Amino acid sequence: MAGRSETLPHRHVLTLPNQSAAVRVARQTAEQALIEWGIGLRHPTVDPALLILSELVTNCVRHASPVSPQVTVIYAAGTDCLAFAVHDRHPFQPSLYASVTGTGAGGLGTVMELVLGLGGTAVVRADADALGKSIWITLPL
């Protein structure tokens, strides 16, 4: 499913200052987009997806803000798939799957447990200049 987001019919892009308020705005924007796309907020994937999104944006605010003044969230969905990416301009690329095996830390471990528990995928994609990255999450609906 990773990489399939380019073909999903629903897309929305949001760029925000990399500040703590970005977490709330990113989550509220996701809720609005899901409603507009006909995905009910009571769908069993939605609450975990919003938690994953909040954690990823929080990580940007905590760790990337000194070198990345903005955070960008890309939302995408289709009839059977929800995808989103959180992008910053910090060069560090976390090892997502190491967080599941216990060698990673904190929030990413929770993110990966939720993603894998839902049958989803996660991938880190470096920017072409290697000075930033996006973490892409894809979840089945």
Side-chain angles (χ1 to χ4, degrees), residues 1-5 80-83 118-121 125 138-141:
M1 280 188 284
R4 215 179 120 200
S5 59
D80 64 348
C81 180
L82 172 63
L118 292 166
T121 62
R125 293 183 183 161
T138 306
L139 303 170
L141 288 175

Side-chain angles (χ1 to χ4, degrees), residues 4-86:
R4 215 179 120 200
S5 59
E6 293 82 15
T7 62
L8 296 174
H10 303 293
R11 284 180 74 84
H12 181 76
V13 179
L14 175 69
T15 299
L16 299 163
N18 199 351
Q19 304 169 354
S20 59
V23 178
R24 178 182 43 80
V25 174
R27 187 179 175 111
Q28 289 173 338
T29 302
E31 290 172 344
Q32 291 171 347
L34 292 170
I35 291 168
E36 288 175 16
W37 299 338
I39 301 169
L41 296 182
R42 293 181 187 246
H43 188 286
T45 300
V46 170
D47 279 342
L50 293 174
L51 179 59
I52 292 165
L53 174 66
S54 296
E55 183 60 37
L56 292 177
V57 176
T58 296
N59 283 350
C60 284
V61 171
R62 285 187 182 154
H63 305 293
S65 60
V67 296
S68 181
Q70 296 180 319
V71 58
T72 299
V73 182
I74 302 167
Y75 308 89
T79 56
D80 64 348
C81 180
L82 172 63
F84 55 89
V86 177

